[in-house]
Amino acid sequence: MAAMSYPLLEKINSPADLRRLPRTELVKLAGELRAYVLDSVSKTGGHLGSNLGTVELTVALHYVFNTPHDRLVWDVGHQTYPHKVLTGRREQMSSLRQLGGISGFPRRDESEYDTFGTGHSSTSISAAHGMAMAAKIKGEDRKAVAIIGDGSMTAGMAFEALNNAGVSHGGLLGDVLVILNDNDMSISPPVGALNKYLARLMSGKFYATARESAKSVLKNTPLYEVARRFEEHAKGMVVPGTIFEEFGFNYVGPIDGHDLESLIPTLENLRGKKGPQFLHIVTKKGAGYKLAEADPVKYHAASGKFDPAIGFVKPATPPKTTFTQIFGEWLCDMAEQDQRLVGITPAMREGSGMVEFHKRFPTRYHDVGIAEQHSVTFAAGLACEGLKPVVAIYSTFLQRAYDQMVHDVAIQNLAVVFALDRAGLVGADGATHAGNYDIAYTRCIPNMAILTPADENECRQALFTAFRHEGPVTVRYPRGAGAGVAVEKQMTAQPWGKGEIRREAGKNGGNRGSGPRIAILAFGTVLYPALEAADRLDATVANMRFVKPLDHELVAELARSHDALVTVEEGCVMGGAGSAVLESLQAAGLNVPVLVLGLPDEFVEHGDPAKLMALCGLDAAGIEQSILKRFGARPSLVRPAANQ
Ligand SMILES: Cc1ncc(C[n+]2csc(CCOP(=O)(O)OP(=O)(O)O)c2C)c(N)n1
Ligand SMILES: CC(=O)[C@@H](O)[C@H](O)COP(=O)(O)O
Ligand SMILES: [Mg+2]
């Protein structure tokens, strides 16, 4: 295929270059930008639909606003590839989401144009309001713009921010502009009353178009003020105030978010206004790429390379079963068995493997929107009434609902199952999405139980075990596939709080040599690299299965029969499973050297998951090297001297 050419885009190395373009060139530039983003993502993978949908908006924003002096805050930030291309990172797009490459989300440490780091949704209005208020306090003439999607508007935090930004503080009123990018899509089809409300606003579309065209004609004439007053009066009469106006924002829209001839004059108009402004734009997720327009769910993100001419195709070799699929199958099987089961997702139906469950059990399926806090307390309410809620939630997104876990679930000891997908390193999404902390942040909560299955079969059995438990419980499993073990259809409860020995030193033909007898206590899928390392070291390996309740007897037995213990987890060392073992040993008065292996006390960047695990020393070689480094020579390879 001939190499694509981008004659205009190649001249744009900053928004200042963009702003020097004749306005008549902007449509052509947007076309090249869209083609470039599609071509780039087809080579690297990454988010697609939302980026194609913000091409014109991005051009218009950088054309009208004096970026980076004026601040743009992108909500979630998964739609910022066009922004990155226009702000000097066009050539770096080939490194997107790769180790050492640029992030898939805005990062303050990546560019001055990335004014706020995002990744988790619904933070943009709060941050932009902060920036707008800072400008007021410092007496700076600066605009702050939050660009937030209709899906992200379903989070309570967005309304907390509207509620605060819409009023003055000590006489200071922030000049914040909120742009609602309404494409009538989340990752899944949108849910909730807000979506219906926005649809009604969109149906009033004639009003906005007529009003905007009138404004642009009348602008800069004495009549303009008269027309504006009439408009305010007319608005009160013809169209009821929007909810956004009730929050104190001047609402404009809906307008066509792909029409630069609408976007630019409207943004120029709004840029000059004082006080909180709200622009409602209508876009299409995947705009300009037919396959993505037709199936915005499928084309939300590309897991890898694809040919734009044919789109996403199933790989020739069937991919390995993922933990997400194990969960989805278990959820359906469990729902068949127990009518009390209710499945809940905060806007991650596909990612959490609940499409089939939604189809088969529509009355017991709840997508609550991007509302993690609500999802947990909603579950608590269900549990109060004797139902059995299962909250399917990414480890990282559960961080949003910490108080709900403590205050609404654990204190009342309610039977809620938290199925924590993406536990541990997630790879391409990087630090914002890593599920590194759930063991530490749940272990300290009384009544909470924590299960760490080691493979696909253990995951199914652990979910079943957790579901039978009469109290709050998390089951954590990583993104992607596991060791590939066979999964037993029969669901069997695991002995509560019990681990098992998977390998015994000295009993597997290994020549023990003279080194210390070592026992490795593995929590979760790191069992498998631990077994590999243990084969080389001839060490004992325990599959602990539970972080809480911990199998204290097994810990004590291993401490008494070995010279040293090693704990391994794909979770933060600080406060993790290893800390639980240390606490257990101390409580039992057992003083044995312990090496705690896990994720470091630093944010692990984006990259290939296997490479990141190796970087963190959690692959077999890393575990082995850490043990050798701490406990001296390689025990099983040390041959006793001939005369010994
Ligand atoms: C707190 C949080 N929960 C869930 C997600 C996962 N997520 C990423 S994008 C998205 C949908 C966002 O929809 P919208 O804001 O409308 O943007 P669009 O993809 O339509 O451009 C979700 C649920 C997230 N990033 N943050
Ligand atoms: C932007 C966002 O938060 C989601 O799209 C997330 O990237 C999905 O992650 P998975 O690809 O692990 O489902
Ligand atoms: Mg949307």
Side-chain angles (χ1 to χ4, degrees), residues 1-6 9-10 31-48 51-52 55 81 85 90-91 93-94 96 288-289 302 304-309:
M1 187 177 81
M4 319 266 281
S5 73
Y6 308 97
L9 191 62
E10 279 159 7
E32 289 185 19
L33 179 56
R34 176 169 278 108
Y36 189 87
V37 166
L38 175 58
D39 179 59
S40 181
V41 174
S42 75
K43 292 169 181 156
T44 62
H47 290 93
L48 184 59
N51 283 293
L52 295 172
V55 165
Y81 300 175
V85 171
R90 183 185 61 244
E91 300 310 322
M93 286 299 290
S94 58
L96 184 72
Y289 182 43
K305 297 183 187 340
F306 68 96
D307 176 351

Side-chain angles (χ1 to χ4, degrees), residues 47 76 78 105 119 187 300 348 394 397 422 429 433 479:
H47 290 93
V76 180
H78 64 316
F105 304 105
I187 295 180
H300 170 75
M348 296 304 285
Y394 289 17
F397 297 145
R422 279 46 171 201
D429 273 345
H433 286 62
R479 184 179 199 272

Side-chain angles (χ1 to χ4, degrees), residues 324-395:
T324 304
Q325 287 165 322
I326 296 292
F327 167 74
E329 284 156 21
W330 168 81
L331 193 67
C332 291
D333 293 348
M334 199 70 241
E336 282 283 359
Q337 272 193 31
D338 193 321
Q339 295 307 310
R340 297 173 300 164
L341 185 146
V342 176
I344 302 167
T345 173
M348 296 304 285
R349 178 185 68 173
E350 285 75 17
S352 295
M354 294 175 76
V355 173
E356 182 64 16
F357 179 77
H358 181 192
K359 274 193 205 120
R360 290 177 54 190
F361 307 95
T363 61
R364 294 155 69 188
Y365 166 80
H366 289 268
D367 176 351
V368 298
I370 307 182
E372 287 80 7
Q373 294 164 329
H374 167 62
S375 74
V376 172
T377 307
F378 170 55
L382 290 164
C384 288
E385 300 304 319
L387 294 183
K388 293 287 285 180
V390 176
V391 180
I393 187 165
Y394 289 17
S395 166

Side-chain angles (χ1 to χ4, degrees), residues 452-463:
T452 55
D455 53 42
E456 298 85 340
N457 185 52
E458 288 223 335
C459 184
R460 179 176 172 89
Q461 307 312 329
L463 287 162

